[in-house]
Amino acid sequence: LSITIHDVARHAGVSVATVSRVLNSSGPVREETRLRIGAVAKRLGYRPNSAARTLKTRKTSTLGVLLPDLFGEFFSEVIRGIDQTAQREGYQLLLSSSHGDVGQIEAAMRAMSGRVDGLIVMSPAVDARSLATNLPSALPVVLLNCRVEGDSFVSVNIDNFGGARDVVQHLIGLGHRGIAMIQGAPGNHDSDERLRGYREALQAAGIAVETRLIIPGDFTEAAGYLAARQILDMQPRPSAVFAANDAMAIGALSAMRDAGISVPDEVAVVGFDDIPIARYLSPPLTSVHTAIDGLGARAVEILCTLLRKEGDPQPIHEILPTQLAIRRSCGAGGPAGNGAVDGSLEVKGP
Amino acid sequence: LSITIHDVARHAGVSVATVSRVLNSSGPVREETRLRIGAVAKRLGYRPNSAARTLKTRKTSTLGVLLPDLFGEFFSEVIRGIDQTAQREGYQLLLSSSHGDVGQIEAAMRAMSGRVDGLIVMSPAVDARSLATNLPSALPVVLLNCRVEGDSFVSVNIDNFGGARDVVQHLIGLGHRGIAMIQGAPGNHDSDERLRGYREALQAAGIAVETRLIIPGDFTEAAGYLAARQILDMQPRPSAVFAANDAMAIGALSAMRDAGISVPDEVAVVGFDDIPIARYLSPPLTSVHTAIDGLGARAVEILCTLLRKEGDPQPIHEILPTQLAIRRSCGAGGPAGNGAVDGSLEVKGP
DNA sequence: TTGTAGGCGTTATCAG
DNA sequence: CTGATAACGCCTACAA
C-alpha cells in the first residue's frame, strides 16, 4: 500500500540500487540521473521505510531516554535540553518515564534495547550490575545525575555538592550559625550530595553539624511545609533553613507565613534549582541556579560522540557547575522589586 | 552478532516457524515443544528483533507524541498521563517537543510517520490541511487541546471555556464588577477559549465587556508581572484580575506585592490550571483545577481504541471538566492556613 | 556509471 | 502439529 524504492526505480527507469545510491549519497551517480530520481521520489512522496532500513543497517537513529517519576519543572527542562539537542543531531527520542522501582526501569530498558542506538538513563535506583544484565553490552549509555560506581560508565552530573556548599557558605557569611537543612528524597543521589555540601560548608567554618537540624523530606512542597513547622518549634530556633530544592523551600515559606514568622528577618530561607518562579515568590527566593536543560543537552552531545566513536574510549565523568542566585529570602541582596521585568538573569557567580 | 530466532530453533531442534508460533501464541504447538522452546529462548536470552517484526507486520507498538514548546508543570503532567497509560497499553513513546512554528512540527510529523502506529498531536499551529498533507491518511491521530475544525479529527480538550466562565462568575458573585483579564499566548486555542469564557460570564451578568480591561500576555510569569503593573495604573482600577494561567497569576501577585497592593483586600486575583504550588503562594491562589495528566491519559485511551478499531468510526470530541479551587487570593474561602498538610485536594465543585 | 542478487530477522502461507 | 519457503523494503558487494 505504501510506496517503496521499487516504485521510484520503476518510475525513473532505473534500478533500485541507483535509487538507493542517490538517497544515501553513497556511490557515484550521473548528475542527470540523480536529478531525475530526486524529482520522481518527491513527486511520488516517497519515504524510506525505516524498519527495513534499520533491519539492514542496524541503526535506528533513535535515542532512548529513561527517567524516574520526577517533578514538574525539572522534568520538562531536562527533556527540553535532550529533545532540542537530539533533534539537531538528527535523532528521534524514545521516552519512558514514571518509573518507581528498579523492576520497572529494568523492564523499560529491555523494551528499548534493540530499538535505540544509545541510551540516556536517569535513575537513582539503577546500578552497574542492573545495566549490564539488562542491556546489550555494546549499547552506549550515558548516566544522568546518578550515583556512579567505578569507571564503567559515562556520566553527567550537576554539581550538587558544590552548589549546596556555596549557598550554605553564603548563609554563614551573613552571620548565620544555626542552619537547618530539609533533605531531599532518601536514597536519591542529588539529595545525598546536597547534604554532603551542607556538612562540608559547616565544617569548613568550624560549625558543628547537629543531627537535630537535618530534617527528612522528599522534594515536595508538602514535605517542606511540614519540615518548616518542625524547625519553627525547635529550641533554640535555627536562624536559617537550606531546603534541598525549591519546591520544599516554597512549602517552608508557606509554613512560616502561616506561623507569622517573617522571612528573612526572623528566619532566612534558601533553596536549590532556581526554578523560574523562584524570583516571583514572596520574598524572592535565594537559590542555586543550575542549567537543567544543559544537563540534558550535554548528555545527548556526549552520547552522540560515543555513537560516532569519536570520543576516547575512557569513561567521562562530567560535572556541570552551579551559580548562586541571591535574592531577598536570605536577607542579603536583591532590590526591593524582584527584577522581574528587566530581563536580566539575576544570576551571580560564586 | 545478536541472537536470532534461527538460533533458538536450532538449539531446540525445531524450525523457526514453530518458534515463531510459540512466541506469538499463533497456531497450535504441542505442549512439550512449547515448553522446550520457551526454556531455550530464555536460556539464550533471545529478544525478537523489532525492526524485522515491524517490517513484516507493519506494527510498531509505538505511539508518537508531538508537543509544542510548553511550560513546566503543564508539560510534565501531560507527559506523565500519556506515558503511564501508554505503558499500560503496551506501547512505547516516540516524543518530539519544543516545536515553535508549523514548519518544525510538520517536519516532526514526517519524521515520525512510518515509525508509529498512532499519533497524539498537541499544537496550536496545526490544522486539518497540515495533518492531511504530512501524514499517511491511514494513521490514527488524536488532537490534544487543539482548535478543531469540522469533524475530520478526533480530539480531547480541557473545558477552557467552562472553567474560565465559572471562575469569573465566582468573582462576580463576590461583588466584583471591574474584572480585568490577562490573556494567554496569542493564537493559542486555550487562550482564546478562556477569553471567551470570561466574556460569557460578564455578559450573562449584564456587565459590559471593556476592551481596555483585556491585557495581552503569553502565559509566562514575566508577562503576568507586566500586565499587572498596567492594570494597577488604570483609572478606575479593576477590583479583580483573571489571569489565563497560574504562571501569569504568580507574576501578577509579585507585581502587586512590589507595588504595595494587598491581595485580596485591594485586588482579587485568580488563575487557571491549579498547578501544585498554587496553594503555597502568598496568598494561596484561587484557580481552575484541571486534571492535566487525565488529558494525556484520555488521549492515549482513545487512540488505543482507534488502533483496535473498536471505536465507532465517527469522530469523537471529548471535553474534560474543570473544577473551581477556591483559596484566599479571591477574597472568599480558604482557612487562614493553606490546608497544605491535611492531604485534602481542596477542590470544590462548581 | 549502472544493474543483479543475496540477505537482514520475522511472520505467514502453504504443504506434509 | 510441524517444516519449508516466500515475502516485507532496503542496502551493498559484485558484475557488467
Side-chain angles (χ1 to χ4, degrees), chain A residues 285-306:
Chain A
L285 182 67
T286 290
S287 189
V288 179
H289 182 83
T290 66
I292 306 174
D293 59 339
L295 184 72
R298 194 69 195 109
V300 173
E301 282 168 11
I302 293 178
L303 189 51
C304 287
T305 70
L306 251 42

Side-chain angles (χ1 to χ4, degrees), chain A residues 160-246:
Chain A
N160 288 301
F161 172 76
R165 187 199 50 207
D166 290 350
V167 75
V168 174
Q169 215 163 55
H170 178 74
L171 288 173
I172 294 170
L174 293 174
H176 294 282
R177 287 299 173 269
I179 303 176
M181 166 156 187
I182 309 177
Q183 276 187 281
N188 183 290
H189 183 234
D190 298 321
S191 187
D192 294 350
E193 285 295 292
R194 290 172 193 183
L195 175 61
R196 204 162 65 80
Y198 162 83
R199 289 201 145 105
E200 165 71 17
L202 291 183
Q203 283 166 355
I207 301 172
V209 177
E210 294 182 67
T211 326
R212 64 167 192 111
L213 294 183
I214 302 175
I215 318 292
D218 63 3
F219 286 137
T220 66
E221 290 92 352
Y225 189 95
L226 287 171
R229 292 225 295 213
Q230 220 174 310
I231 290 169
L232 293 178
D233 285 343
M234 289 179 175
Q235 290 299 341
R237 180 198 286 164
S239 66
V241 176
F242 167 43
N245 77 342
D246 288 348

Side-chain angles (χ1 to χ4, degrees), chain A residues 307-324:
Chain A
L307 290 175
R308 290 191 221 95
K309 304 227 190 309
E310 282 174 3
D312 15 17
Q314 66 237 30
I316 311 168
H317 295 294
E318 231 175 77
I319 293 186
L320 268 37
T322 60
Q323 293 177 293
L324 273 186

Side-chain angles (χ1 to χ4, degrees), chain B residues 246 249-250 253 269-271 278-279 281 283-287 325 327-329:
Chain B
D246 288 349
I250 290 171
L253 287 180
V269 175
V270 300
R279 71 184 54 186
L281 295 172
L285 182 67
T286 290
S287 188
R327 305 201 181 89
R328 291 220 314 279
S329 72

Side-chain angles (χ1 to χ4, degrees), chain A residues 62 69 80 83 115 254 338, chain B residues 62 69 80 97 115 254 338:
Chain A
T62 303
D69 202 358
R80 182 196 306 273
D83 193 10
R115 308 187 47 123
S254 176
N338 62 10
Chain B
T62 303
D69 201 357
R80 181 195 307 273
S97 68
R115 309 188 47 126
S254 177
N338 62 11

